Amino acid sequence: MPNIEPVLPAHAHVQGINSEGKVQAINDVTQQTYLWISDLQWQERPIATSNVDLKEDFLAVWEIFNLQAYDLIDLSHIHRDFLHNQPA
């Protein structure tokens, strides 16, 4: 969050992690949504605001599992890999 929040678009705040596993923000005034993309910037995207794991929940998991001890790139594909390895 220290790298993400300082460059938020005006009037936006981080909502959480969306169902695609991407950090999502929303502008409370315009309801415009944004996704954090890998080259350190926000991208305007017309996406749904439902099915979002809230920022506070994400931070709690981050602390419980001591995820700061890992490189972010090592954590970025856990969700997708987990889903691909589940039996049908």
Side-chain angles (χ1 to χ4, degrees):
M1 292 299 156
N3 294 337
I4 293 173
E5 290 182 321
V7 294
L8 276 165
H11 307 290
H13 72 274
V14 173
Q15 263 187 308
I17 308 294
N18 69 17
S19 60
E20 296 174 352
K22 297 181 180 182
V23 176
Q24 179 174 304
I26 188 166
N27 179 317
D28 289 326
V29 176
T30 65
Q31 297 302 303
Q32 174 62 53
T33 51
Y34 305 89
L35 292 180
W36 181 251
I37 56 176
S38 62
D39 56 355
L40 305 177
Q41 62 182 334
W42 289 98
Q43 183 178 60
E44 209 173 284
R45 293 281 293 276
I47 52 180
T49 56
S50 60
N51 298 325
V52 174
D53 293 328
L54 297 178
K55 171 185 160 185
E56 293 77 16
D57 295 337
F58 174 78
L59 292 175
V61 169
W62 185 269
E63 289 179 19
I64 290 167
F65 291 101
N66 193 32
L67 296 180
Q68 64 270 15
Y70 301 89
D71 289 332
L72 188 56
I73 192 67
D74 293 335
L75 300 173
S76 65
H77 301 290
I78 290 174
H79 179 68
R80 182 181 341 141
D81 292 346
F82 176 77
L83 291 176
H84 286 276
N85 292 321
Q86 292 303 301

